[in-house]
Amino acid sequence: MTILTDAQLAAAQKRIVAVLSFGQILGGIAFGATVSLGALLAADLSGDDALSGLATASVTLGAAAAAIPLGRAAGRWGRRFSLTAGNLFALFGVMVVVGAASLRSFPLLLVGIIMIGAGNAGNLQSRFAATDLASPKHRGRDLSVVVWSTTIGAVAAPLMLTPGEQLGALIGMPPLTGSYLFSFVAQAAALTLYLVALRPDPLLTAQARARDAGSGPALDAGIDRPWVARYAMFAVAGSHVVMASVMAMTPIHLSHMVHAQHGASTSTTDVTALVGVTIALHVGGMYALSPLFGILADRWGRVRTILLGQALLAASLLFAIFVSGEAWGVIVALTLLGLGWSAATVAGATLLTEVTPVGARARRQGLSDSIMSLSAATAAALAGVVLSGFGYAGLAIAESVFVIAIVALTPFAVRRIRASRSA
């Protein structure tokens, strides 16, 4: 592989970030239907609200199962291979979900959602791909730009629920599956984009530069700080558990709330409209301000930005505890939930990258994503049981344990960072 000059590297990085950003727009459209409709489909096909959490559990389980293999594949064959492999998983998953709804098969639905989750593991790697060739002082910014790009597709996807239902009904698709038409087209477009335009491959180029004796400071090989890396993984995973658990149960909570307020006259469209708006604002919180959090992570510090994320998550949980009986309270809670997740994820992923040498990054990043997804899958599966037994407020109280744990561990990570800098 030809080693790029610093000028060529900067130009390549701009192009790679642009390609990854556009791919994330398409990925957001593709993934949004599962986020919005998975719990409703699971409750409908299973006939039991307590099993609705298995939808989010399945999507995160699929991401957990695929994260490490895709990370290792990226380390060996590059980001282009792992991203397109994820797209293929998701494409097949969409078809299986629609088939499951048609056959009224709950187990088959979970299989399809697991495959979509495996595809999302590839999407998650896009944020790390943005850091492969980034200079250290802009690492958080470049990562956050790619995360932000998901806003467009992810916010649009929940708002497509009603048009998707109408379009699906016209062509005879099962209820609650029409939006998956948009998902399929978007995933196919993203696959084509990565195959054609993600050149040079960012990770393979970074590895080549790290092996080259004259690579210079533009792309540091990195000093290994495993204890700090573990803290970063826990901060990302814990924040994701809080977000996934509360978000997964929000459609069910809103459905119950709407039916309680309007009785038997409530239509499916009434529920999906409220769910669509709420999830759209939540996903907007997850991605819209990520560039701000990336800049804060670069200038203010990675750990401080992680703590900002925990403060926002705590505020979200307070709204969920005390104002969960009002639609506006749930909307505020979900928006803050997205913002807290964004700050913690951007800063945590950036911290993990910079405390890991280039040669180990893809493997450790895959491990982080796997832990994050597996933890969230377990929590989301239990969230339906907690919701049924203790209500929405009870679920929020339970999730506050993770916020407290992340804050409590922060001083230990700060001491490790200071010790490694002074060594």
Side-chain angles (χ1 to χ4, degrees), residues 162-227:
T162 299
E165 279 299 285
Q166 295 169 346
L167 179 60
L170 286 176
I171 61 176
M173 292 182 68
L176 299 176
T177 64
S179 292
Y180 283 101
L181 284 173
F182 303 131
S183 298
F184 186 87
V185 173
Q187 280 288 2
L191 186 150
T192 303
L193 174 71
Y194 291 140
L195 281 176
V196 173
L198 192 60
R199 300 173 186 277
D201 188 281
L203 184 54
L204 296 182
T205 303
Q207 290 172 345
R209 286 181 63 85
R211 289 192 298 266
D212 183 57
S215 60
L219 187 67
D220 62 332
I223 299 172
D224 196 11
R225 298 168 183 161
W227 283 102

Side-chain angles (χ1 to χ4, degrees), residues 98-322:
V98 175
S102 179
L103 297 172
R104 305 291 301 171
S105 171
F106 179 62
L108 187 60
L109 173 72
L110 296 184
V111 171
I113 293 177
I114 287 172
M115 295 178 70
I116 292 174
N120 193 48
N123 268 350
L124 287 172
Q125 287 194 8
S126 293
R127 71 193 195 281
F128 290 125
T131 68
D132 290 333
L133 297 179
S135 66
K137 65 180 180 179
H138 295 311
R139 190 169 284 145
R141 183 200 65 186
D142 287 357
L143 182 148
S144 66
V145 166
V146 173
V147 172
W148 174 85
S149 300
T150 311
T151 308
I152 301 172
V155 171
L159 298 178
M160 291 178 179
L161 295 184
T162 299
E165 279 299 285
Q166 295 169 346
L167 179 60
L170 286 176
I171 61 176
M173 292 182 68
L176 299 176
T177 64
S179 292
Y180 283 101
L181 284 173
F182 303 131
S183 298
F184 186 87
V185 173
Q187 280 288 2
L191 186 150
T192 303
L193 174 71
Y194 291 140
L195 281 176
V196 173
L198 192 60
R199 300 173 186 277
D201 188 281
L203 184 54
L204 296 182
T205 303
Q207 290 172 345
R209 286 181 63 85
R211 289 192 298 266
D212 183 57
S215 60
L219 187 67
D220 62 332
I223 299 172
D224 196 11
R225 298 168 183 161
W227 283 102
V228 181
R230 293 186 185 102
Y231 165 76
M233 289 182 190
F234 181 73
V236 170
S239 300
H240 192 67
V241 164
V242 175
M243 186 278 294
S245 299
V246 177
M247 180 270 294
M249 292 300 101
T250 296
I252 301 300
H253 173 68
L254 290 175
S255 177
H256 290 167
M257 190 173 67
V258 171
H259 282 90
Q261 292 173 352
H262 301 286
S265 62
T266 303
S267 69
T268 302
T269 302
D270 293 331
V271 176
T272 56
L274 179 57
V275 169
V277 171
T278 303
I279 298 299
L281 290 172
H282 165 66
V283 175
M286 290 175 66
Y287 301 115
L289 295 185
S290 57
L292 172 62
F293 295 132
I295 292 171
L296 284 176
D298 286 336
R299 298 183 181 180
W300 195 35
R302 322 304 193 199
V303 175
R304 288 179 178 176
T305 308
I306 289 173
L307 288 178
L308 173 62
Q310 302 317 299
L312 291 167
L313 289 175
S316 166
L317 295 176
L318 288 174
F319 270 92
I321 292 168
F322 294 109

